[in-house]
Coordinates of all heavy atoms in Angstrom, one line a residue:
T257 N 34.4 -38.3 14.3 CA 34.8 -37.1 15.1 C 36.2 -36.7 14.8 O 36.6 -35.5 15.3 CB 34.5 -37.3 16.6 OG1 35.4 -38.4 17.0 CG2 33.2 -37.6 17.0
T258 N 36.9 -37.4 14.0 CA 38.3 -36.9 13.7 C 38.3 -35.9 12.5 O 39.2 -35.2 12.2 CB 39.2 -38.2 13.2 OG1 38.5 -38.8 12.1 CG2 39.3 -39.1 14.4
D259 N 37.1 -35.8 11.8 CA 37.0 -34.9 10.7 C 36.5 -33.5 11.3 O 35.7 -33.6 12.2 CB 36.1 -35.4 9.7 CG 36.8 -36.5 8.8 OD1 38.0 -36.6 8.8 OD2 36.1 -37.3 8.3
V260 N 36.8 -32.5 10.7 CA 36.3 -31.2 11.1 C 35.7 -30.5 9.8 O 36.4 -30.2 8.9 CB 37.5 -30.2 11.6 CG1 36.8 -28.8 12.1 CG2 38.1 -31.0 12.8
P261 N 34.4 -30.2 9.9 CA 33.8 -29.4 8.7 C 34.4 -28.1 8.6 O 34.7 -27.4 9.5 CB 32.3 -29.3 9.1 CG 32.1 -30.3 10.3 CD 33.5 -30.4 10.9
S262 N 34.6 -27.6 7.3 CA 35.3 -26.5 7.0 C 34.4 -25.2 7.2 O 33.4 -25.1 6.6 CB 35.8 -26.5 5.5 OG 36.2 -25.3 5.0
S263 N 34.9 -24.3 7.9 CA 34.4 -23.0 8.1 C 34.2 -22.3 6.7 O 33.1 -21.8 6.3 CB 35.0 -22.1 9.0 OG 34.9 -22.4 10.4
K264 N 35.2 -22.2 6.1 CA 35.3 -21.5 4.8 C 34.3 -22.1 3.8 O 33.4 -21.4 3.2 CB 36.7 -21.5 4.2 CG 36.8 -20.6 3.0 CD 38.2 -20.6 2.5 CE 38.4 -19.4 1.4 NZ 37.5 -19.7 0.4
D265 N 34.3 -23.4 3.6 CA 33.4 -24.0 2.6 C 32.0 -23.8 3.0 O 31.2 -23.5 2.2 CB 33.7 -25.5 2.5 CG 35.0 -25.8 1.8 OD1 35.8 -24.9 1.4 OD2 35.4 -27.0 1.8
M266 N 31.8 -23.9 4.3 CA 30.2 -23.9 4.6 C 29.7 -22.5 4.7 O 28.6 -22.2 4.2 CB 30.1 -24.5 6.1 CG 30.3 -26.0 6.1 SD 30.0 -26.7 7.9 CE 28.1 -26.5 7.9
Q267 N 30.6 -21.7 5.1 CA 30.2 -20.2 5.0 C 30.0 -19.7 3.7 O 29.1 -18.9 3.3 CB 31.3 -19.3 5.7 CG 31.3 -19.4 7.3 CD 32.2 -18.4 7.9 OE1 32.4 -17.4 7.4 NE2 32.7 -18.8 9.2
D268 N 30.9 -20.1 2.7 CA 30.8 -19.7 1.3 C 29.5 -20.0 0.8 O 28.8 -19.4 0.0 CB 31.9 -20.2 0.5 CG 33.3 -19.5 0.8 OD1 33.3 -18.5 1.3 OD2 34.3 -20.0 0.3
R269 N 29.2 -21.4 1.0 CA 27.9 -21.9 0.4 C 26.7 -21.2 1.0 O 25.7 -21.0 0.3 CB 27.8 -23.5 0.7 CG 29.0 -24.2 0.0 CD 29.1 -25.6 0.4 NE 30.1 -26.3 -0.5 CZ 30.6 -27.5 -0.3 NH1 30.3 -28.0 0.9 NH2 31.5 -28.0 -1.0
A270 N 26.7 -21.1 2.4 CA 25.6 -20.5 3.1 C 25.4 -19.0 2.5 O 24.3 -18.5 2.3 CB 25.7 -20.4 4.5
R271 N 26.5 -18.2 2.4 CA 26.4 -16.9 1.8 C 26.0 -16.8 0.4 O 25.2 -16.0 0.1 CB 27.8 -16.2 2.1 CG 28.2 -15.9 3.5 CD 29.4 -15.1 3.7 NE 29.1 -13.7 3.1 CZ 30.0 -12.8 3.1 NH1 31.3 -12.9 3.7 NH2 29.6 -11.6 2.6

Side-chain angles (χ1 to χ4, degrees):
T257 56
T258 57
D259 290 335
V260 182
S262 162
S263 283
K264 186 177 190 302
D265 290 352
M266 293 186 65
Q267 288 189 25
D268 285 347
R269 291 168 181 166
R271 290 190 65 178

